[in-house]
Amino acid sequence: MIYRIIHQTDYTYNHPIGVCYNVLKLRPRSLPFQKVHAFHLSLSPLPTEQREENDFFGNVMHTCMIHSPHTHLTIKTQSIVEVMFSPYAFPLISWHNYKIEIERLPAYERYDVLSMSLASPLIPLHSKALEPFIQEIMTSRDDLYHVIQNLLSLMTSHFEFQAGITTVSTPLEEILRVRKGVCQDFAHVTIAILRRLGLCARYVSGYIRTYPPEGQPRLVGVDASHAWVSLYVPTRGWIDIDPTNNRFVNDDYVVVAYGRDYSDITPIKGVWTGQGWTSLHVSVDMAPIDEENKGDL
Amino acid sequence: METSGMMSSMIKKVLDLSSETVKQRQHDVAWHLRENGVTYNVYKDTDGYNRLWNLDIIPFVICEDEWSTLQKGMEQRGRLMEAILADLYTQRRCLSEGIIPYQVVYGHGGFLRECDGLVTALPFFAVDMVKGADGVFRVYDDRVQAPSGLGYALENRLTIGRVMPELFEGISIERLSYFFETYKKMVIACSPTQRDDAFIVILTPGPWNETYFEHAYLASYLGYPIVRGDDLVVKDRYVWLKTLSGLKKVDVIIRRVDAWYCDPLVLKNDSQLGVAGLVSVIRDGHVKVINPLGSGLLENPGLYPFMDALAQFFLGESLIVPQIPTLWCGEPDNVQKFLANPQSYRLRRIDQPAKQEVNKDFDLLCEELLAQPSMYVIQAWGSMATTQVLGDEGATQRPFSLRLFGIQTPVDHAIMPGGLIRATHNVGEGFSSKIGSVSQDVWILTPQTSAQASPMARKRSVSSSVIMEDLPSLTAENLYWVGRYCARALITVRYIRTLLYVMSEANHYEYATNIMCQRTLQNGLTHLTMTYPGFFDEMTAHDPLKHIMNLLQDDTMIGGLAHTLLMLSKASFGVKSLWSHDTWRVLDRMLLEWKNPVNRMSWRQLIDHLDMMIIRMVAFTGLIHESLVVKQGTTVYTIGLKIEEALLEVSKIRSLLVIAHDADVEYELLEVLLESCEALNAYRYGYKSHLSLENVTSMMIVSEHYPRSLLMLVRTILDLMKSLPQHPKKGILATYERPLFELFSKLSLLSIDDLLQTNDAGIREDLDRLLGLAYTQLSLTSDMISRTYFSHSQYA
């Protein structure tokens, strides 16, 4: 599957901003099953300085500094990404062998995986509110797949997708209490439960393809950034699940970044000097394209 | 002589003194520390900031042999920590080789993934140890982010030298000053250019930090400017200090800010204490931060159980100074050990300082431990040796901790021959200075002769030229506002005093005149303080005294005197390091007096109270002039002062003279106007006539002989602006000079007679227009100076 993705973010300030620094994690990742044929980042106004680096997790990070006064900032990315998804069977993994299997990994890989079982800035693990969920999904069956199935259906039955209830700074404890939120909250709760079980799970940011209702044309610009969860499964590697949509990830998904939680992959982090408020507008468009067009943005 | 022998002979010396003398000496110590402003700020403490540092008059003595072991142990620890740090931020061999569990690294908040590969050295470190009852020192904490205590150690030595000179008789102790020379060399060696003229700054979170005294103290002792995050900016891949003269490239930042707060761009996003983009400049190698961001990973009790193994792994040695026995709770056996016998262990989280867990509920603690055992260790402290302190209740034995300091040198490490003892009442509380333990000076005995052993450790030989020519912008801005708030406070008090005179003399004058006069003055007060609706509100006007008391005492009323004083104290606190002791003393006294509530006072008492305030204010402003040695500082301070004076003068004349009154009232108002400006005598001397509207207006607005006339104030400000740095060449006006130059021309060409014409409604329209213009131009000037010199928006 090949997609053209256009992601545009517009900031408007009511007072001119003198200096503005941004760290962007917006470039889709190059992965064995995901090929980035083209990527273009553009800012308006033009940055005075710009640099590109990889972060700790291998995500591409752009740092842009704008030193000229402005009241409007546009950050736009265009990418052509090919997702090569092949259906697989979830391996049969005994619950009790999970950690033992991971300990067998070569050292360079072992700690990247194991460290994803620890608490992280936005996912503390000591909350008592996690207990009932854990009770509910654990069964007598000694089979990892079964637990994951239970977890996905638990998320669907206990949590409601609703925008506007939570923000990026709502603590996990609060999300567990209100049981409502957006994909980011679904991902955080799912990761918390997995890690409490001793499993290794990471946060994924990216895009998801949306389908128009039957018989209607695809609308432009209404797609959205998405977030889901990647679980390490011995003998198979990282397997992605989407707790918001209660399913395993397939070629409708494009991966942008991996991290411990949202704080590691925040798509746009900005610091500016100046006062007043800003307004924000985001639009994402993800369209499937033909093989012959994959070279052109 | 053995340590114990030395100690007891020292204590004998102290005890031989009469109890009166001892008391006096303790008092002298406290006095000395207060004089030098040695404080330790305690958050949420009733004393607020500026709590005094506590020092005992008996020093703590370490003999040569014992010191030799400690010194070697410290050097080894320096090498070891450096090796661990470099490994954990590159290859992480000690993980893959199974020396330490991954949780104590990846689970630790100090592991900054943003700084991976950037942490290679540990230039400066401190180690906390306790001495067991068996006489062995053991390490219980490493301090590596931004170790504090150097300044306190230095000040302790100086104070004891002054207060207890007889203790130094007949013994030789190591002096501290050489260590600071080594420190400066280390900083130069760290700088990207390694040149002697490297530009070095100390980054502080600000005066509210608990160890701000030390930041300012070291800044002046070492001769480095002290700056805050807002003073620095990242541009063109370098870090720059914003100064009044422009941007200055920074080579080394000695930070007293926790790493997590140092770069809001990639670290803590809402931090106000850091510099956006700092990490990327570090990555380019264009600035060095001491200690590196990320070194906080070593403030990590999770490493302690494995310290011996790490020493073997990296150095092939055993630890010279052992660790307090520590067990990692990631091993289930150790959790059981703790639960079976909690009172024999101290439970600690691996990423928090020793004192945090003390007051927590035990059940809650266990719950958290069981949810994340790998984040905890248990330590068996065992029984401890004590030190003798004199304290308030006579000589007592107390458990203590010792902090030692080390720095990296080209060869190995240099260890400060001294340190910091903190003795506590109760070990369970830990040794934090926050909890108010008492400190002791640490003496290292040396066989050398007395040439080395002078008690005067502090000869300021280290500091070269301390006076910084280029004032950091934030400091300049604070000084500017000190000037403005000083003028505002003084003028407000004087005005209120005059108003109170008029109100208290209500019986002596013709009633109607007085009432009219009072009303006008009261409305004028509301204009002056901009506390609308103020007296324009019927209800308020009904009980004027109550409203005046609010203006004087309610510090939430913006524009009122109490609020102005609050802002003044904040702005002054921000430039604390620039003041002389006397300046502080006067400000302290003034604020203290003002805090005491004055209920139900007689007119006379109230006026006396204001008189006292005025005297203190005048003393304070005088002392500022005297104590500001930085010329740029005096300039911005005086500009602030004069701009505020001019603004308030405009406001007063406008509210009292724009509306024409009948002759009696007008006469009264003229008198009051002059009196509130302390100008009555000047008028009588200058005009030798009765008060007339023409003369008073002429004196207050355009006189060249009265230094506080609007014309002269504007001229003074224009002159002062010429000495601001980056001022254009002679004969060319800077943008920020234009508004005042225009005002100055206007005032110079003025005809007073025209100005005083009234219209049909009895309003002096031309006067009003002129004063309105003056107000606008002055405000504009203030704004332009701020933008040009303080916020540097043109660099931005």
Side-chain angles (χ1 to χ4, degrees):
Chain A
M1 204 65 205
I2 304 174
Y3 297 102
R4 172 186 289 125
I5 303 161
I6 299 172
H7 182 169
Q8 180 167 334
T9 310
D10 289 285
Y11 294 91
T12 307
Y13 311 95
N14 69 334
H15 277 290
I17 297 300
V19 192
C20 172
Y21 303 81
N22 285 292
V23 166
L24 314 172
K25 296 188 180 175
L26 291 170
R27 189 189 193 277
R29 282 188 70 142
S30 299
L31 298 162
F33 57 89
Q34 181 174 294
K35 201 165 174 189
V36 181
H37 291 293
F39 174 78
H40 184 70
L41 165 70
S42 57
L43 276 82
S44 161
L46 276 178
T48 331
E49 296 164 47
Q50 183 171 328
R51 54 199 291 158
E52 184 182 314
E53 284 143 331
N54 280 357
D55 73 3
F56 185 82
F57 303 96
N59 306 309
V60 174
M61 176 171 106
H62 291 97
T63 308
C64 309
M65 306 189 184
I66 299 171
H67 285 284
S68 52
H70 57 282
T71 49
H72 191 93
L73 171 66
T74 301
I75 300 168
K76 183 177 179 183
T77 62
Q78 295 161 276
S79 345
I80 307 258
V81 183
E82 182 170 5
V83 183
M84 294 153 284
F85 177 82
S86 43
Y88 59 91
F90 197 101
L92 191 66
I93 296 291
S94 153
W95 184 248
H96 297 287
N97 287 342
Y98 185 83
K99 272 271 164 82
I100 300 166
E101 292 281 350
I102 289 177
E103 291 290 347
R104 288 200 193 132
L105 286 171
Y108 66 88
E109 205 183 339
R110 196 191 310 155
Y111 300 108
D112 286 345
V113 175
L114 278 173
S115 62
M116 290 297 173
S117 67
L118 301 174
S120 57
L122 299 178
I123 311 182
L125 295 183
H126 53 73
S127 170
K128 257 189 172 170
L130 289 169
E131 288 298 334
F133 300 123
I134 289 165
Q135 305 273 325
E136 196 171 329
I137 61 170
M138 290 304 282
T139 61
S140 51
R141 282 178 60 180
D142 181 29
D143 173 15
L144 182 60
Y145 181 68
H146 196 66
V147 175
I148 302 307
Q149 285 287 11
N150 283 352
L151 174 55
L152 283 173
S153 40
L154 172 133
M155 290 305 296
T156 306
S157 58
H158 289 54
F159 287 83
E160 189 186 330
F161 185 92
Q162 197 175 333
I165 304 281
T166 56
T167 70
V168 287
S169 53
T170 308
L172 188 71
E173 195 82 23
E174 177 66 10
I175 296 160
L176 291 170
R177 200 182 61 76
V178 299
R179 299 197 178 184
K180 284 176 186 153
V182 294
C183 54
Q184 176 193 316
D185 307 312
F186 277 73
H188 280 160
V189 171
T190 306
I191 294 171
I193 295 171
L194 290 169
R195 288 182 184 164
R196 263 299 275 274
L197 293 169
L199 304 174
C200 304
R202 61 186 181 182
Y203 186 100
V204 194
S205 73
Y207 303 106
I208 180 175
R209 176 184 182 183
T210 51
Y211 292 88
E214 196 74 29
Q216 287 179 30
R218 204 185 66 85
L219 296 173
V220 173
V222 297
D223 300 321
S225 304
H226 193 46
W228 60 95
V229 175
S230 193
L231 169 73
Y232 193 84
V233 180
T235 72
R236 163 76 209 177
W238 294 98
I239 286 183
D240 288 13
I241 53 177
D242 179 358
T244 315
N245 293 304
N246 187 7
R247 63 173 171 172
F248 283 79
V249 164
N250 56 20
D251 59 2
D252 285 341
Y253 295 76
V254 167
V255 175
V256 170
Y258 294 121
R260 291 168 298 165
D261 57 38
Y262 177 80
S263 68
D264 282 334
I265 61 81
T266 312
I268 300 179
K269 246 185 180 183
V271 172
W272 62 83
T273 61
Q275 51 202 355
W277 47 263
T278 105
S279 68
L280 168 69
H281 181 257
V282 186
S283 97
V284 175
D285 189 60
M286 177 168 174
I289 56 170
D290 299 331
E291 174 75 20
E292 57 267 27
N293 293 331
K294 72 183 182 188
D296 317 325
L297 276 175
Chain B
M1 204 188 303
E2 279 298 302
T3 312
S4 55
M6 184 57 70
M7 270 312 262
S8 51
S9 92
M10 188 107 56
I11 290 160
K12 191 164 173 300
K13 272 186 194 167
V14 173
L15 294 181
D16 281 351
L17 302 169
S18 72
S19 65
E20 272 309 298
T21 315
V22 168
K23 219 172 220 163
Q24 185 56 45
R25 296 292 177 84
Q26 280 287 26
H27 189 77
D28 289 350
V29 166
W31 179 84
H32 194 95
L33 294 173
R34 183 176 298 129
E35 279 305 288
N36 284 301
V38 187
T39 55
Y40 192 92
N41 299 334
V42 181
Y43 296 107
K44 292 179 191 158
D45 185 283
T46 41
D47 286 354
Y49 37 77
N50 285 341
R51 167 193 275 247
L52 277 178
W53 178 249
N54 225 338
L55 171 65
D56 199 68
I57 59 173
I58 305 178
F60 183 88
V61 178
I62 299 176
C63 72
E64 285 172 69
D65 290 351
E66 195 167 33
W67 177 248
S68 157
T69 309
L70 287 175
Q71 193 175 12
K72 287 198 190 92
M74 283 291 288
E75 287 165 2
Q76 180 195 47
R77 199 147 184 110
R79 291 195 301 273
L80 177 57
M81 288 203 284
E82 201 166 293
I84 299 173
L85 201 57
D87 179 58
L88 288 180
Y89 279 101
T90 50
Q91 301 180 328
R92 292 182 265 282
R93 277 173 56 227
C94 59
L95 288 180
S96 52
E97 300 284 328
I99 314 293
I100 56 173
Y102 71 93
Q103 291 97 323
V104 303
V105 177
Y106 287 92
H108 192 276
F111 183 46
L112 298 188
R113 289 151 177 85
E114 295 78 1
C115 300
D116 198 33
L118 302 179
V119 193
T120 49
L122 188 65
F124 177 51
F125 67 99
V127 176
D128 284 336
M129 21 188 124
V130 285
K131 193 178 192 178
D134 56 1
V136 178
F137 276 103
R138 292 185 179 84
V139 174
Y140 73 90
D141 257 334
D142 296 309
R143 312 257 41 115
V144 287
Q145 282 237 36
S148 66
L150 269 190
Y152 294 99
L154 204 56
E155 192 58 34
N156 280 357
R157 175 63 54 85
L158 178 74
T159 305
I160 293 298
R162 287 263 170 87
V163 178
M164 302 293 291
E166 60 266 60
L167 292 184
F168 292 83
E169 282 164 20
I171 55 167
S172 304
I173 57 167
E174 296 261 9
R175 50 192 296 176
L176 304 178
S177 51
Y178 185 69
F179 183 74
F180 288 86
E181 310 249 4
T182 318
Y183 185 94
K184 292 194 78 163
K185 283 187 196 138
M186 173 276 285
V187 177
I188 294 287
C190 280
S191 78
T193 57
Q194 308 210 338
R195 286 163 46 134
D196 285 349
D197 61 355
F199 186 50
I200 299 147
V201 299
I202 295 184
L203 177 67
T204 172
W208 289 271
N209 183 266
E210 60 192 26
T211 57
Y212 182 75
F213 152 75
E214 183 168 272
H215 311 170
Y217 187 87
L218 287 177
S220 95
Y221 191 83
L222 298 167
Y224 305 143
I226 184 164
V227 304
R228 279 183 261 171
D230 285 349
D231 282 321
L232 302 176
V233 65
V234 167
K235 205 187 165 214
D236 301 332
R237 303 208 159 191
Y238 284 89
V239 177
W240 306 82
L241 174 67
K242 300 186 249 181
T243 76
L244 278 192
S245 333
L247 298 183
K248 202 164 175 211
K249 193 186 285 173
V250 175
D251 297 304
V252 181
I253 298 173
I254 300 172
R255 70 178 168 101
R256 300 305 291 262
V257 172
D258 275 356
W260 188 235
Y261 290 85
C262 279
D263 183 350
L265 192 56
V266 292
L267 300 168
K268 189 172 165 44
N269 204 218
D270 58 354
S271 167
Q272 309 269 324
L273 307 175
V275 191
L278 178 61
V279 172
S280 68
V281 184
I282 296 173
R283 198 174 293 276
D284 286 341
H286 289 168
V287 74
K288 259 295 193 334
V289 176
I290 297 174
N291 279 335
L293 304 184
S295 51
L297 176 56
L298 288 187
E299 293 186 355
N300 186 346
L303 294 173
Y304 299 163
F306 316 101
M307 223 49 177
D308 235 326
L310 286 164
Q312 286 297 343
F313 181 70
F314 286 114
L315 310 175
E317 299 168 11
S318 302
L319 286 179
I320 297 170
V321 177
Q323 200 81 41
I324 280 238
T326 308
L327 300 169
W328 180 52
C329 294
E331 306 282 353
D333 286 358
N334 294 333
V335 178
Q336 290 316 315
K337 267 185 198 156
F338 173 71
L339 293 177
N341 214 352
Q343 65 280 3
S344 6
Y345 296 100
R346 186 180 291 194
L347 180 67
R348 294 182 57 184
R349 256 187 88 91
I350 65 168
D351 56 358
Q352 274 161 24
K355 59 224 170 226
Q356 298 277 348
E357 301 298 314
V358 178
N359 297 322
K360 264 198 179 165
D361 174 60
F362 183 71
D363 291 337
L364 190 69
L365 209 56
C366 289
E367 205 175 280
E368 290 179 7
L369 166 65
L370 293 173
Q372 280 182 288
S374 67
M375 291 298 286
Y376 290 84
V377 294
I378 50 176
Q379 290 184 315
W381 282 52
S383 56
M384 275 183 276
T386 54
T387 179
Q388 181 138 20
V389 297
L390 220 47
D392 294 336
E393 315 91 41
T396 51
Q397 295 288 335
R398 293 206 204 155
F400 64 94
S401 78
L402 169 66
R403 177 171 293 186
L404 296 178
F405 302 89
I407 43 185
Q408 194 182 45
T409 65
V411 196
D412 187 348
H413 287 80
I415 310 304
M416 183 167 88
L420 209 56
I421 286 282
R422 281 168 303 165
T424 176
H425 283 286
N426 177 0
V427 194
E429 288 171 354
F431 298 101
S432 162
S433 306
K434 280 186 185 170
I435 305 165
S437 52
V438 59
S439 77
Q440 283 181 314
D441 187 21
V442 176
W443 288 13
I444 313 297
L445 295 182
T446 143
Q448 279 142 348
T449 44
S450 53
Q452 260 263 313
S454 148
M456 302 312 287
R458 183 169 72 172
K459 229 178 81 200
R460 298 216 172 212
S461 57
V462 186
S463 61
S464 43
S465 64
V466 177
I467 296 168
M468 247 246 304
E469 280 310 315
D470 296 325
L471 210 54
S473 299
L474 209 60
T475 310
E477 185 171 21
N478 273 321
L479 280 174
Y480 174 79
W481 282 102
V482 167
R484 290 201 57 172
Y485 288 125
C486 270
R488 193 179 301 176
L490 189 56
I491 291 169
T492 311
V493 189
R494 280 190 175 145
Y495 188 93
I496 293 177
R497 181 177 63 175
T498 313
L499 172 61
L500 288 175
Y501 276 138
V502 173
M503 287 167 65
S504 68
E505 286 165 356
N507 306 332
H508 304 269
Y509 284 89
E510 200 256 313
Y511 184 72
T513 307
N514 184 273
I515 287 298
M516 195 57 216
C517 192
Q518 276 192 36
R519 281 276 160 79
T520 312
L521 282 173
Q522 286 165 356
N523 292 347
L525 180 57
T526 299
H527 285 305
L528 189 73
T529 54
M530 303 221 270
T531 46
Y532 302 104
F535 284 104
F536 294 97
D537 182 340
E538 286 285 321
M539 292 298 286
T540 309
H542 207 67
D543 189 354
L545 197 55
K546 183 170 164 221
H547 184 62
I548 290 172
M549 290 310 286
N550 283 343
L551 279 171
L552 289 175
Q553 294 190 323
D554 179 0
D555 66 14
T556 62
M557 193 185 267
I558 296 169
L561 181 66
H563 182 260
T564 302
L565 288 177
L566 184 71
M567 299 309 285
L568 172 62
S569 89
K570 278 190 178 167
S572 308
F573 205 62
V575 286
K576 192 177 172 179
S577 54
L578 293 180
W579 301 140
S580 70
H581 294 317
D582 280 344
T583 318
W584 262 116
R585 207 171 292 145
V586 171
L587 180 67
D588 253 7
R589 180 77 54 86
M590 179 170 82
L591 296 173
L592 205 67
E593 279 172 2
W594 203 249
K595 254 194 228 157
N596 297 329
V598 276
N599 292 325
R600 292 296 117 210
M601 276 187 165
S602 70
W603 290 105
R604 196 59 256 167
Q605 283 169 319
L606 189 53
I607 288 169
D608 278 351
H609 199 61
L610 296 182
D611 276 340
M612 188 46 86
M613 175 78 196
I614 289 167
I615 291 168
R616 299 251 189 261
M617 276 305 308
V618 172
F620 180 60
T621 44
L623 281 165
I624 291 176
H625 261 296
E626 187 189 286
S627 72
L628 274 179
V629 286
V630 190
K631 183 166 179 295
Q632 291 179 349
T634 320
T635 308
V636 285
Y637 162 76
T638 318
I639 291 179
L641 197 77
K642 294 293 167 192
I643 286 186
E644 188 73 24
E645 266 183 35
L647 278 168
L648 295 184
E649 192 162 302
V650 167
S651 164
K652 276 198 283 190
I653 302 174
R654 210 174 175 190
S655 58
L656 300 184
L657 300 186
V658 162
I659 299 172
H661 294 278
D662 70 47
D664 285 348
V665 175
E666 198 135 282
Y667 187 87
E668 191 77 6
L669 288 175
L670 289 174
E671 190 173 5
V672 161
L673 174 64
L674 291 179
E675 195 172 303
S676 80
C677 297
E678 292 281 284
L680 206 49
N681 287 339
Y683 179 90
R684 289 187 180 127
Y685 185 80
Y687 292 89
K688 300 188 171 54
S689 76
H690 275 297
L691 299 181
S692 79
L693 181 64
E694 290 72 21
N695 287 348
V696 171
T697 335
S698 150
M699 171 171 151
M700 297 296 291
I701 297 181
V702 294
S703 167
E704 289 193 15
H705 306 292
Y706 176 56
R708 288 216 192 104
S709 72
L710 191 53
L711 180 82
M712 292 306 283
L713 284 172
V714 171
R715 183 190 278 177
T716 311
I717 300 168
L718 281 170
D719 283 347
L720 284 164
M721 288 201 292
K722 287 204 181 67
S723 54
L724 282 174
Q726 288 190 313
H727 186 274
K729 272 181 281 176
K730 236 185 167 162
I732 302 172
L733 282 183
T735 324
Y736 53 78
E737 283 175 304
R738 288 171 192 273
L740 280 197
F741 194 79
E742 197 186 324
L743 179 61
F744 181 73
S745 324
K746 201 145 219 161
L747 291 171
S748 308
L749 300 170
L750 214 59
S751 144
I752 285 292
D753 290 339
D754 294 347
L755 199 62
L756 296 177
Q757 297 301 321
T758 52
N759 69 7
D760 299 343
I763 290 172
R764 302 188 174 106
E765 269 182 325
D766 289 340
L767 179 62
D768 191 44
R769 206 170 299 127
L770 174 75
L771 295 171
L773 175 79
Y775 202 90
T776 313
Q777 303 296 73
L778 285 161
S779 308
L780 199 59
T781 305
S782 175
D783 205 47
M784 285 173 153
I785 289 177
S786 291
R787 259 188 292 153
T788 312
Y789 286 104
F790 307 149
S791 72
H792 287 263
S793 38
Q794 89 272 30
Y795 304 118

